[in-house]
DNA sequence: AAAAGGTCCAACCGCATTGCT
DNA sequence: TAGCAATGCGGTTGGACCTTT
């Protein structure tokens, strides 16, 4: 018989009840037990925590519940354009390294980012009948999705109101993005190959050979190494690259509603049209 | 109104890594 | 250094909820 070492008393054998572990959705009572226990004893050592707190759950289950749901600083739902932009950029660099990506989005969990990617990004890749890793889809991201996100961020920053989702964050994602860009530039100079597996960054300046208007990126490449803050290379260059400022772009397709879901759906229907023109 | 299909997300599972003895 | 347990991570799934027919 194996004996557990516990932090809540002497070594005890696992009881019959402990063998009967609960699974499935957490109840309010279980949440309260977990939160109260962590408030007193702190987190970590999840297996003994589960036992000492009187929870008939595995340590893994307790850890997951705490990190993804009960943690005081966790934020759920309403992924902002800044966060979307950051997710796209970081995913282009690191792939499905969800926990690593989540580290750059304060309050967001790897699970939420993963769900976002699957439900939003992969869904639309499917709608476009292409793989998320295909060049076609990456081009859509680079030339349509990301510029539109930047446009939205700029539009929002022009307003005096700050959304609740962004107001309390320790670091503005735009600032974070600039910082990430800087660190990535230094790391890639040191031989990092993480982005190489994707062929390119979504943020790398479009080339003429990509079929993108050269004038739209004029002057941007000169600023790559001069990222000093939120108004960085990314924002400045992509806003200039928007194909929507005059006729022929998708600005004429009714993309004025900034409600997130409406905007999103409009964007993707517009992209379908744009793709038919471009590819 | 109800059935069918789609979407979303919390939670689980299995594998990899880390840390301890 | 080997063995084991704990922890972390990414993929997958069940089911509640929403939308469409």
């Amino acid at each position: 018989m194996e004996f557990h070492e516990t932090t809540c008393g002497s070594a005890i054998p696992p009881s019959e009840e402990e063998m009967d572990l609960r699974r499935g959705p957490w109840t309010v009572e279980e949440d309260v037990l977990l939160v109260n226990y962590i408030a007193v004893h702190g987190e970590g050592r999840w297996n003994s925590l589960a036992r000492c707190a009187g929870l008939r759950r595995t340590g893994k289950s307790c850890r997951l519940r705490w990190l993804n749901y009960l943690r005081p600083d966790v934020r759920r739902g309403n992924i902002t354009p800044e966060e979307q932009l950051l997710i796209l950029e970081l995913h282009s660099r690191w792939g499905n390294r969800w926990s690593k990506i989540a580290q750059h989005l304060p309050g967001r969990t790897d699970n939420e980012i993963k769900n976002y990617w699957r439900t939003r990004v992969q869904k639309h890749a499917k709608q476009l009948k292409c793989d998320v890793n295909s060049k076609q889809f990456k081009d859509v991201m680079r030339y349509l999705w990301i510029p539109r996100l930047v446009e939205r961020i700029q539009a929002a920053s022009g307003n005096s109101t700050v959304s609740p989702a962004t107001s309390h964050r320790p670091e503005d994602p735009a600032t974070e993005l600039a910082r990430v860009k800087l660190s990535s530039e230094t790391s890639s100079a040191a031989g990092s190959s993480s982005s190489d597996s994707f062929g390119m960054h979504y943020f790398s300046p479009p080339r003429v050979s990509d079929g993108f208007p050269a004038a739209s990126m004029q002057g941007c490449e000169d600023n790559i190494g001069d990222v000093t803050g939120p108004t960085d290379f990314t924002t400045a260059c992509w806003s200039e690259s928007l194909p929507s400022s005059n006729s022929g772009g998708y600005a004429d397709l009714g993309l004025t509603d900034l409600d997130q879901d409406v905007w999103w759906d409009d964007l993707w229907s517009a992209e379908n049209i744009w793709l038919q023109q471009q590819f």
Side-chain angles (χ1 to χ4, degrees):
Chain A
M1 169 73 71
E2 183 186 351
F3 287 73
H4 301 295
E5 186 194 343
T6 71
T7 56
C8 49
S10 57
I12 55 169
S15 66
E16 290 298 316
E17 282 186 5
E18 282 175 336
M19 299 300 189
D20 181 28
L21 292 170
R22 272 184 51 79
R23 291 171 61 190
W26 281 62
T27 65
V28 175
E29 290 76 17
E30 287 177 311
D31 283 348
V32 169
L33 276 175
L34 183 56
V35 168
N36 286 344
Y37 190 88
I38 289 175
V40 174
H41 299 94
E43 59 184 275
R45 305 178 68 176
W46 295 103
N47 284 335
S48 64
L49 181 153
R51 286 192 299 274
C52 296
L55 288 159
R56 285 156 56 185
R57 296 274 183 174
T58 65
K60 286 176 79 167
S61 181
C62 293
R63 173 183 168 271
L64 205 65
R65 182 64 176 171
W66 173 254
L67 293 178
N68 286 345
Y69 198 86
L70 296 174
R71 233 177 353 135
D73 61 334
V74 74
R75 293 172 46 219
R76 299 195 306 280
N78 192 28
I79 304 274
T80 66
E82 290 93 336
E83 289 172 318
Q84 292 178 40
L85 191 60
L86 200 47
I87 290 169
L88 295 182
E89 159 65 2
L90 296 180
H91 187 274
S92 76
R93 184 176 307 150
W94 295 324
N96 295 357
R97 301 284 303 279
W98 306 117
S99 64
K100 193 169 182 177
I101 292 171
Q103 289 171 5
H104 293 276
L105 288 120
R108 298 295 185 185
T109 67
D110 57 348
N111 209 34
E112 174 148 41
I113 294 167
K114 180 169 57 182
N115 282 334
Y116 163 78
W117 186 265
R118 288 188 60 82
T119 58
R120 296 284 187 149
V121 181
Q122 289 196 343
K123 181 184 86 174
H124 289 299
K126 197 176 174 182
Q127 283 179 354
L128 293 172
K129 294 183 172 60
C130 60
D131 189 85
V132 284
N133 293 321
S134 68
K135 181 180 185 303
Q136 183 191 23
F137 190 70
K138 286 175 180 174
D139 282 345
V140 169
M141 290 223 194
R142 294 174 69 198
Y143 303 144
L144 281 159
W145 196 349
I146 287 172
R148 292 300 293 181
L149 284 170
V150 172
E151 189 180 54
R152 264 173 69 82
I153 293 165
Q154 286 186 327
S157 67
N159 295 337
S160 57
T161 55
V162 178
S163 71
T166 59
S167 59
H168 68 284
R169 257 175 281 153
E171 187 170 30
D172 186 348
T175 310
E176 173 75 359
L177 181 59
R179 195 173 59 74
V180 167
K181 282 173 62 61
L182 278 172
S183 66
S184 109
E185 279 151 19
T186 52
S187 66
S188 60
S192 166
S193 61
S194 57
S195 64
D196 293 344
S197 61
F198 286 81
M200 59 186 165
H201 277 185
Y202 297 133
F203 285 96
S204 53
R207 290 163 288 139
V208 178
S209 59
D210 287 333
F212 199 84
S216 66
M217 294 302 294
Q218 230 170 13
C220 291
E221 287 174 278
D222 296 339
N223 298 330
I224 290 175
D226 188 25
V227 180
T228 55
T231 48
D232 65 348
F233 157 78
T234 304
T235 305
C237 293
W238 278 113
S239 66
E240 290 175 26
S241 72
L242 295 175
S244 61
S245 57
N246 47 37
S247 60
Y250 53 80
D252 302 332
L253 297 169
L255 302 184
T256 55
D257 193 338
L258 288 182
D259 174 76
Q260 188 150 332
D261 291 335
V262 174
W263 168 82
W264 185 275
D265 291 341
D266 284 351
L267 169 60
W268 281 97
S269 61
E271 278 165 0
N272 276 311
I273 296 167
W274 185 83
L275 271 173
Q276 288 170 9
Q277 296 169 345
Q278 299 295 320
F279 302 107

